[in-house]
Amino acid sequence: MAEVLAASGRRKLTPERERELLRVTAELVGEVGYDQVTMAAIARRAKCSTATLYRQWESKPRLVVSAWRAHESERGGDMGQLDTGSLRGDLRGVVSTLTAGDPANHMFASVSAAIAENEGLMEVVREILIHPILENLTQLLDRAVARGEIAAGNPVIGLTPQILLGPWLAQDILYGTHADEELMETILDTVLLPALAPRAAASL
């Protein structure tokens, strides 16, 4: 069955059905854009009720951003599993994860554009998409400090999310193109690593 009874008596989606609904959402956003996509249209294509969508995700922004995160995870794997044993290796893994796959991520360019006019959407993006990445970066940097690769008092530690994620998030908005691996590695090798760990950067 696509749904199972939860403890509360309400039906809960199976993991397979949840993935299917997120995939359908991603497809529709890619076809018509964030502003034009509706919960009713998603429900029609997914052959479910709008009540099912609202029960599971509460709102269109939460559903669309959840689909974005699922799409990113399928393309790039789990960033939380990164642990290469070195700062440079871990950060290159982050870059690879952020830019993995083909430029199909352009399907969410309309979401990026909508963020500027929708504070509620931005809050959902922070909660579902950005906060997990920030947590993973914090763990990565803590490991590098423990290994002695970064000085504990280096102020750039606190700026790493802005330096690394800023271009990744802004590229679509500023230029209408996806931040590819070449761009992100250039930022990593010429800006972030030299500031975090000059000796590690010198060995590039």
Side-chain angles (χ1 to χ4, degrees):
M1 294 177 62
E3 298 180 347
V4 296
L5 284 174
S8 65
R10 294 190 306 172
R11 291 187 178 276
K12 182 179 179 180
L13 297 178
T14 64
E16 294 77 13
R17 182 57 168 158
E18 182 175 337
R19 285 193 295 270
E20 181 183 2
L21 296 182
L22 292 173
R23 177 185 55 77
V24 168
T25 300
E27 289 174 352
L28 273 174
V29 171
E31 292 171 13
V32 304
Y34 176 82
D35 288 335
Q36 297 303 314
V37 98
T38 65
M39 297 290 266
I42 295 168
R44 282 194 299 273
R45 178 170 293 192
K47 296 181 173 59
C48 70
S49 68
T50 54
T52 294
L53 299 179
Y54 282 108
R55 183 171 60 244
Q56 187 75 12
W57 288 284
E58 299 179 6
S59 66
K60 169 183 157 180
R62 190 169 292 276
L63 171 56
V64 171
V65 176
S66 295
W68 187 355
R69 182 181 180 187
H71 176 72
E72 292 294 325
S73 296
E74 287 178 4
R75 293 190 311 126
D78 185 359
M79 193 183 296
Q81 300 300 314
L82 283 173
D83 189 356
T84 67
S86 74
L87 173 65
R88 180 170 176 253
D90 285 353
L91 287 175
R92 283 188 175 275
V94 170
V95 165
S96 294
T97 300
L98 292 174
T99 60
D102 59 43
N105 191 47
H106 285 293
M107 69 175 68
F108 287 103
S110 63
V111 181
S112 299
I115 286 171
E117 300 178 357
N118 189 329
E119 180 60 28
L121 176 59
M122 184 68 256
E123 288 301 319
V124 175
V125 168
R126 290 191 189 104
E127 175 191 344
I128 296 177
L129 187 66
I130 304 302
H131 285 174
I133 297 175
L134 295 179
E135 290 174 2
N136 291 330
L137 278 175
T138 296
Q139 293 170 3
L140 179 160
L141 293 167
D142 286 346
R143 291 197 302 266
V145 170
R147 288 192 299 262
E149 293 181 272
I150 308 174
N154 189 327
V156 180
I157 293 174
L159 297 174
T160 295
Q162 292 93 320
I163 295 171
L164 192 60
L165 301 181
W168 176 66
L169 291 169
Q171 188 73 11
D172 274 327
I173 298 172
L174 293 175
Y175 302 109
T177 60
H178 184 53
D180 60 21
E181 190 164 7
E182 181 180 0
L183 170 65
M184 296 303 297
E185 286 195 350
T186 298
I187 292 166
L188 175 62
D189 292 339
T190 63
V191 180
L192 184 55
L193 275 173
L196 281 173
R199 287 177 295 177
S203 67
L204 292 176

